[in-house]
Amino acid sequence: MQEFTKFPTKTGRRSLSRSISQSSTDSYSSAASYTDSSDDEVSPREKQQTNSKGSSNFCVKNIKQAEFGRREIEIAEQDMSALISLRKRAQGEKPLAGAKIVGCTHITAQTAVLIETLCALGAQCRWSACNIYSTQNEVAAALAEAGVAVFAWKGESEDDFWWCIDRCVNVDGWQANMILDDGGDLTHWVYKKYPSVFKKIRGIVEESVTGVHRLYQLSKAGKLCVPAMNVNDSVTKQKFDNLYCCRESILDGLKRTTDVMFGGKQVVVCGYGEVGKGCCAALKALGAIVYVTEIDPICALQACMDGFRVVKLSEVIRQVDVVITCTGNKNVVTREHLDRMKNSCIVCNMGHSNTEIDVTSLRTPELTWERVRSQVDHVIWPDGKRVVLLAEGRLLNLSCSTVPTFVLSITATTQALALIELYNAPEGRYKQDVYLLPKKMDEYVASLHLPSFDAHLTELTDDQAKYLGLNKNGPFKPNYYRY
Amino acid sequence: MQEFTKFPTKTGRRSLSRSISQSSTDSYSSAASYTDSSDDEVSPREKQQTNSKGSSNFCVKNIKQAEFGRREIEIAEQDMSALISLRKRAQGEKPLAGAKIVGCTHITAQTAVLIETLCALGAQCRWSACNIYSTQNEVAAALAEAGVAVFAWKGESEDDFWWCIDRCVNVDGWQANMILDDGGDLTHWVYKKYPSVFKKIRGIVEESVTGVHRLYQLSKAGKLCVPAMNVNDSVTKQKFDNLYCCRESILDGLKRTTDVMFGGKQVVVCGYGEVGKGCCAALKALGAIVYVTEIDPICALQACMDGFRVVKLSEVIRQVDVVITCTGNKNVVTREHLDRMKNSCIVCNMGHSNTEIDVTSLRTPELTWERVRSQVDHVIWPDGKRVVLLAEGRLLNLSCSTVPTFVLSITATTQALALIELYNAPEGRYKQDVYLLPKKMDEYVASLHLPSFDAHLTELTDDQAKYLGLNKNGPFKPNYYRY
Amino acid sequence: MQEFTKFPTKTGRRSLSRSISQSSTDSYSSAASYTDSSDDEVSPREKQQTNSKGSSNFCVKNIKQAEFGRREIEIAEQDMSALISLRKRAQGEKPLAGAKIVGCTHITAQTAVLIETLCALGAQCRWSACNIYSTQNEVAAALAEAGVAVFAWKGESEDDFWWCIDRCVNVDGWQANMILDDGGDLTHWVYKKYPSVFKKIRGIVEESVTGVHRLYQLSKAGKLCVPAMNVNDSVTKQKFDNLYCCRESILDGLKRTTDVMFGGKQVVVCGYGEVGKGCCAALKALGAIVYVTEIDPICALQACMDGFRVVKLSEVIRQVDVVITCTGNKNVVTREHLDRMKNSCIVCNMGHSNTEIDVTSLRTPELTWERVRSQVDHVIWPDGKRVVLLAEGRLLNLSCSTVPTFVLSITATTQALALIELYNAPEGRYKQDVYLLPKKMDEYVASLHLPSFDAHLTELTDDQAKYLGLNKNGPFKPNYYRY
Amino acid sequence: MQEFTKFPTKTGRRSLSRSISQSSTDSYSSAASYTDSSDDEVSPREKQQTNSKGSSNFCVKNIKQAEFGRREIEIAEQDMSALISLRKRAQGEKPLAGAKIVGCTHITAQTAVLIETLCALGAQCRWSACNIYSTQNEVAAALAEAGVAVFAWKGESEDDFWWCIDRCVNVDGWQANMILDDGGDLTHWVYKKYPSVFKKIRGIVEESVTGVHRLYQLSKAGKLCVPAMNVNDSVTKQKFDNLYCCRESILDGLKRTTDVMFGGKQVVVCGYGEVGKGCCAALKALGAIVYVTEIDPICALQACMDGFRVVKLSEVIRQVDVVITCTGNKNVVTREHLDRMKNSCIVCNMGHSNTEIDVTSLRTPELTWERVRSQVDHVIWPDGKRVVLLAEGRLLNLSCSTVPTFVLSITATTQALALIELYNAPEGRYKQDVYLLPKKMDEYVASLHLPSFDAHLTELTDDQAKYLGLNKNGPFKPNYYRY
């Protein structure tokens, strides 16, 4: 039991994790969540359920919701054609035949497409949720109905969370040989509780910043006895999750919560990394006047060249209509800033956690909080001034908008390829270390997504390839290329 | 009773009217609508309700919702500072003292701000709804609580609709002398049923295309015995309602319904008027590849110069991901086009009515309709192809997104000024005809909205005014100026 | 001789006229001007020249330059396919057969294409230059070689200017029946000197603001005994000459003179009419931070919605890197502003004349002027501060950049159609007044330019045309439509 | 003499080198080049010249042009305030005191500012030109007048080129201890001809792709006995030289050569690296319709998300108006493509050398070449079709437009800092290898350029720095950060 106390509390930490799939947890994100009836208060762990084939090798909220979940999965499939084409290309050879994958991710229509792709490629899968809130119950039901051993529901307790993970790993007559993780909890559990299983794992694929960080620490400590693949830092994931995804979602998140008009609004974006770049581009494109704050002179210079005034927050805080944080830092927006904002100023966070805005400083007696809509609070000063705080300073796009399925497709495809690579790699190619996806596979992920755009790649001639010193099939760039 | 049959059926026609305020009718648009409990099935006409001051001079769904509606009105006020400043500037002199205004508009937080402004300027108001679905019940309750004689609720029957209008006009000891109308129904009712009242009206202010059209017809027929102001064609309303408003709402409407990613999507926009221009600008800015269809060579040339390929719909119908109609025409998207679209193609309408897409042609036995979310239908072909139809071809931005309060503020301010102008105009300034708002007042509406942007106008020097042959206070442009 | 003094001085006024074709006068604009050898100082009036067919019915600088001029004309033809297609469509019927056109325009490759089109359509033409500097000598030579009676050269004196015009009109056995004018000088000359010729003119086509103004004055005074067509205010000309053309040329003019980098530059644009809109759009698109000044609240509101801060010039004058005037007003940039600009600030004018910047105020003893490049002066303050003044405050795009041939094609096509219309109109269609081009012909001009973009117009079905109440062939918009 | 043959031929290779400073070589780039009188045909090597202080330790075209050159240098200084501020900050300590720098770069106003900065920091400098055409003679004269030992003129012969380099290195009583090179010729010369000097060099700073490549080869071969700094791959240089600089110069290069209108033009850009991204962004922003070709699926996916259709060149070659190569590859545009282009299609190269367009294939008897302007050829097919070839396929922006001084300032500042770092580095910090500039210095270069934009950096608090695990003064990003 001591062991358990080392695990971070789910309720606190989980909601901060920057795993893009989490977006699906929100009530805005899809039809599925609207259908949740909260009248059924019996814990799934107490229920006896079987799917239509008589199996009860799962634990979900309500197996009867399977049909609705299946439709959501089908809708998701339409924007995840890369995985579908992977199914087609690799199905004959079943590259994951014999793979026994234990997985721990958000359970959404999109991850369902991934899980079913892994199955189609020959794998056996057992799955739990990496977040106690994020499971789409209907989708979990659909997976269970389709025969996947899934253990997850929306609103798990802390204890439920670890029980579900344990049910995936600890099963008679079945021993996992691959891990797909998002956050590192599953990996940690296997490492701690089932060291003998852990030693025989052929590969770990991890997608989150946090999980990757934990793997590097394990590796540094010399305790990582399994090759692991860091898919978080692949180019396609980085550019899509950050630059493009934020370009899409910042507008959406602001509109759904506040119906704000963008034209002519003065906005300050704190941080001009990929997330900030995406936010700035979208807001400028829709007619907002955007200011940028930066600590890094190189990013600041980019902001200048891109047409944004680079200022200190205190210079513009009195005049702006919207404040957006994208720094990964803490206390970027302080109480002092909040005190000086004008009436109706909107404050929100697109960065990596809820630390960027000092929300705690607003929980003082002289300020009144008024919840005006879901995820929207008015914080009211004694003089009547209102500041509009979104998602209590948590990630706006994960809380109040959706993430395009296409973006999730890129991550999911990367995960699938990483699993295939690790499972099939010849002895010795990967040591007991953390690896980045080989560039060639990053390029392959990209190429699988081009047909969605009806994009046609040019092929090098032999002569050109020789001139450039490249293989005609790639990789086409050195590792340090910045894109 | 005969008379009644001449009135268009509410259920059919009303939903087509291009009055921007209608947007508030949708469940997406504000918190208010979420609270509607449909369990109360008693007709408001049957209920006995009094407000806190003991008055029962109103008919709304539930007077107890007033507090919640008041908050919605207060939120709206924050983006309608032009009206608030009009209250301040004109309150001393009460320019509408003695005015008895009968109004028929959507009843939303935004129109409530208008109505209460009219009252603050000295007017007495009686109000009904111009749309059987669009009333925000809580807002109506708040108006009633504040003493406005309002007769409206969400979900009126055809009969209720006319009953409410009649209750506004037909009241002992009170005779309307001004009309504010949106759609022309109220005007028509007074004209037909109370000709003696009609003759004594000092002015009509009409905002909708339809209502203006009816006024011009009346005028042509020599039957308009009252001066009327066409606020629909004022510059600020046109540019904001169309160009800017659609630039804001096309992205919002598509995201909320389909979560579609814009980057790289191929989109065809039918029509390159102001609405089309707004849609194209927004979509291009977010990374879509946009094609345009046009019948007018001048607009087509503008599309070319703005960087859009001008094509016939049939040229690109097979390849596009989204089809948007903005023509004001009918059957722009035919069954033949729909048959040729690719799987998952999204089809929607931003134009003036639901005629642009031939939705009727899709109601045939071989096609299956599947309602996947509110306002989103999958129409499924026998081969499994799905076309995603939004709002059944009705206006996307009114059905599935919100309209910025700021835009509504411009229209409302124009209406208020038009009422003041007509009510106070010296005898003879306005004949029995339909007038456009004087350019100087159009400029005044604009100037009232500049402080929201902290925009500072430059003033002409005497010397410059003389050089330009202009009055220093405007008007600054000839009537034919195109902006 | 008295008469002459009423004519404005060429050297002064001419350079102010906003006739876009004037751009060709600058040394930047085309190869032709580079070849000017200034060693030949003999006045063309003194020379005896004949073309290869033995004709000497012209007066140009050097007939031997014809071949080079012909090549320039051919290059221009490639971007003026609308005129070429007009030649083809109308050539069979020769709609200008019998027309004797006397013209006075800039003489450039582009106008040469127009003149030769008129000839191809059956007209006889005699031509002089409307500007003493703007003639491309090689092009004039090519026209003369081709048989056009052209009287023009670069660097005419005031006396030469009127002599050339007179030589066009005053010729034995040939009497003009049509006038094509740019600036109104030719019209005025005929009106004053040859009243009997004037009375028999069937139509005047005038393109410039100034010329149109003079026609309206004549009309008001009841002295216009000839129908005249104002092509200056046609939609296509306005939008192309102003919005699009300035969007193209502001960057070009700044680069060619100063090599300034746009990224991150702070720019203030005075005036947000079509010219200002074009400048702002281009500069913002290239990464500049743009401020706008306006006197008109409607245009100011547009600037806000388009994402520009609206300020008074004095608020930003200390911080901006570039000041651009587009107002049509005078003394918009005063000496006081100039005193407060920062070192290296660039000042230039895109408006209608050289009055916008108070350049005269800079001609004081304490300031040093340094000509650093053609059209670029450094004005140096006693403390060493330099202000970079372009084109001495004259129009930047006409002085320092080129105007796309395509834009000139639109104007030229409009002129040709106006001539055809006036020449062939049945008796009584046009009275002795100034007319705008019929909208249908405006649309026709546009349609002739669509093939350049490979743009495909959609045609209305009978049913749609009926629904819209339109003729299938246009006109498609009411006259007041704003585009 | 054998040795000499190993050096590449200047006339051929030099013009290919991608050193951005080369832009100044073109007659468009500055006033200086216009003043070149070609009447003076005496070789500078034959002349006896002394500056006003009596020194003749230089060899330039004409020392009398010094004053004009000085003015050009002063103009350049205004956009190179980073170097000026470096002079101020470092002047007290003279960090280059004792440094004897031999340099070989383009000799332009901008490099003159660099050279004089090095002198101000305490260095002694001897300088030659890295390109036989690129020297601005007036600037060289100004440097010579100021006491710099400069050996360079425009139009050197191959023999002159090496003679100048030799005169810099081979001088009695002065031995170089630092090398600043652009292209590697100087380095190679010292390495080959003066091995004893080479061994005592304390550091080499190299800016060009080619020169860096040669250094890496030397290093691999174990023959690099000196630490060298690769400034070519610093972030600021890469982003500015490529993305931003091309965004600025593609429009300029096209306008100056062809006066083409961008609005509505169909353009294909081959290659979507930084150069391609810059070109595409600018062209799209000005209203062109842009297609992209790519071989790399990741870049192709970026192009899709940025709103460009990704095609094979052959798919669009018939319809495009402009073809731009930015690949670094060879024969990207083949004769077959050229044969299929439409009339008036413009073809140009923004990539790294003149190999991208197969210009050689156009030099066949059936095609006629017509030089219509400087750097503009019409290649005419037998059927009359013309293709407009710019700069004979060499780099457009270096041949036909200018590079903003500000961009050159970034490179020059980086070079200066690299020299200071290598010269002052403690023994052992740098081995005999090629190094990238430390990220912290890259950030310092950026920070020196922020004041030009009046940009204000935010500073981390101690608490924040600790939270992020960063030093408050940077570096702020890991080495692999992509910006």
Side-chain angles (χ1 to χ4, degrees), chain B residues 277-308:
Chain B
K277 285 177 174 81
C279 292
C280 287
L283 288 162
K284 185 183 181 185
L286 268 286
I289 296 155
V290 182
Y291 303 90
V292 165
T293 73
E294 250 301 340
I295 60 160
D296 179 333
I298 297 178
C299 294
L301 203 54
Q302 290 183 301
C304 290
M305 290 301 292
D306 292 343
F308 302 105

Side-chain angles (χ1 to χ4, degrees), chain A residues 13-321:
Chain A
R13 186 179 62 77
R14 271 289 105 188
S15 61
L16 317 187
S17 134
R18 174 131 184 83
S19 165
I20 207 72
S21 334
Q22 188 172 356
S23 64
S24 317
T25 68
D26 189 79
S27 60
Y28 286 100
S29 65
S30 88
S33 42
Y34 294 130
T35 66
D36 262 12
S37 61
S38 49
D39 50 3
D40 176 8
E41 291 305 334
V42 182
S43 165
R45 285 165 73 175
E46 312 297 320
K47 293 187 192 171
Q48 284 291 10
Q49 299 183 81
T50 54
N51 67 14
S52 65
K53 285 148 216 147
S55 165
S56 59
N57 188 14
F58 61 86
C59 186
V60 302
K61 184 75 171 180
N62 184 354
I63 188 67
K64 290 176 189 156
Q65 297 173 323
E67 193 180 346
F68 184 52
R70 176 55 51 193
R71 204 188 61 204
E72 288 290 307
I73 294 172
E74 285 167 0
I75 293 176
E77 283 174 351
Q78 301 196 354
D79 266 342
M80 303 183 86
S81 49
L83 281 178
I84 306 304
S85 81
L86 200 63
R87 288 185 198 176
K88 282 183 194 147
R89 292 196 202 183
Q91 205 166 16
E93 33 175 323
K94 302 272 184 197
L96 290 175
K100 293 177 181 161
I101 305 175
V102 60
C104 180
T105 65
H106 301 286
I107 306 239
T108 63
Q110 290 81 17
T111 47
V113 179
L114 168 60
I115 293 165
E116 299 195 338
T117 300
L118 300 177
C119 295
L121 300 181
Q124 295 172 32
C125 293
R126 297 182 73 84
W127 227 263
S128 64
C130 70
N131 182 299
I132 57 178
Y133 297 123
S134 68
T135 300
Q136 292 179 327
N137 284 333
E138 299 83 353
V139 167
L143 283 171
E145 170 63 29
V148 177
V150 60
F151 300 83
W153 57 92
K154 187 171 186 170
E156 297 169 1
S157 70
E158 179 89 19
D159 186 60
D160 291 339
F161 179 82
W162 298 111
W163 179 85
C164 286
I165 286 182
D166 198 68
R167 289 277 278 129
C168 288
V169 185
N170 182 16
V171 45
D172 282 347
W174 191 89
Q175 188 167 327
N177 52 23
M178 298 293 293
I179 291 176
L180 178 62
D181 207 355
D182 180 351
D185 288 327
L186 167 62
T187 303
H188 202 61
W189 186 264
V190 178
Y191 168 72
K192 283 285 183 187
K193 303 283 286 187
Y194 303 97
S196 64
V197 173
F198 195 68
K199 274 175 198 148
K200 292 191 182 151
I201 294 289
R202 287 165 74 165
I204 299 168
V205 172
E206 169 62 53
E207 115 165 61
S208 75
V209 173
T210 313
V212 164
H213 185 66
R214 292 164 92 179
L215 283 172
Y216 279 114
Q217 284 184 317
L218 219 56
S219 172
K220 259 189 196 165
K223 293 179 177 168
L224 184 66
C225 55
V226 178
M229 201 74 96
N230 163 6
V231 301
N232 179 66
D233 288 306
S234 65
V235 177
T236 42
K237 181 169 189 305
Q238 283 289 324
K239 285 282 175 183
F240 275 75
D241 263 31
N242 295 332
L243 179 65
Y244 293 121
C245 185
C246 292
R247 190 184 70 183
E248 298 268 335
S249 58
I250 180 65
L251 304 178
D252 195 28
L254 287 170
K255 273 285 189 208
R256 294 201 200 205
T257 49
T258 68
D259 297 332
V260 68
M261 182 178 72
F262 300 121
K265 284 289 181 302
Q266 294 192 57
V267 182
V268 61
V269 174
C270 302
Y272 201 66
E274 294 292 308
V275 172
K277 286 178 173 82
C279 292
C280 288
L283 288 161
K284 184 183 182 185
L286 268 286
I289 296 155
V290 182
Y291 303 92
V292 166
T293 73
E294 248 302 338
I295 60 161
D296 179 333
I298 297 178
C299 294
L301 203 55
Q302 290 183 301
C304 291
M305 291 301 293
D306 292 344
F308 303 105
R309 297 223 51 197
V310 176
V311 298
K312 296 192 184 195
L313 185 52
S314 56
E315 295 176 61
V316 295
I317 195 67
R318 278 190 191 283
Q319 78 195 63
V320 291
D321 301 288

Side-chain angles (χ1 to χ4, degrees), chain A residues 120 392 456:
Chain A
E392 299 182 61
H456 304 158

Side-chain angles (χ1 to χ4, degrees), chain A residues 29 31 71 78 247-248 252 255-256 259 261-264 285-286 344 370 372-373 386 402 404 406 453, chain B residues 29-31 71 78 247-248 252 255-256 259 261-264 285-286 344 370 372-373 386 402 404 406 453:
Chain A
S29 65
R71 204 188 61 204
Q78 301 196 354
R247 190 184 70 183
E248 298 268 335
D252 195 28
K255 273 285 189 208
R256 294 201 200 205
D259 297 332
M261 182 178 72
F262 300 121
L286 268 286
S344 299
E370 195 176 302
V372 299
R373 295 183 190 172
R386 285 159 186 260
T402 60
F406 188 81
F453 299 108
Chain B
S29 66
S30 89
R71 205 189 61 205
Q78 301 197 354
R247 191 186 67 183
E248 298 267 336
D252 196 28
K255 274 284 190 209
R256 293 200 201 206
D259 298 331
M261 182 177 72
F262 300 121
L286 268 286
S344 299
E370 194 175 304
V372 297
R373 295 182 190 173
R386 284 157 187 260
T402 61
F406 188 82
F453 299 108

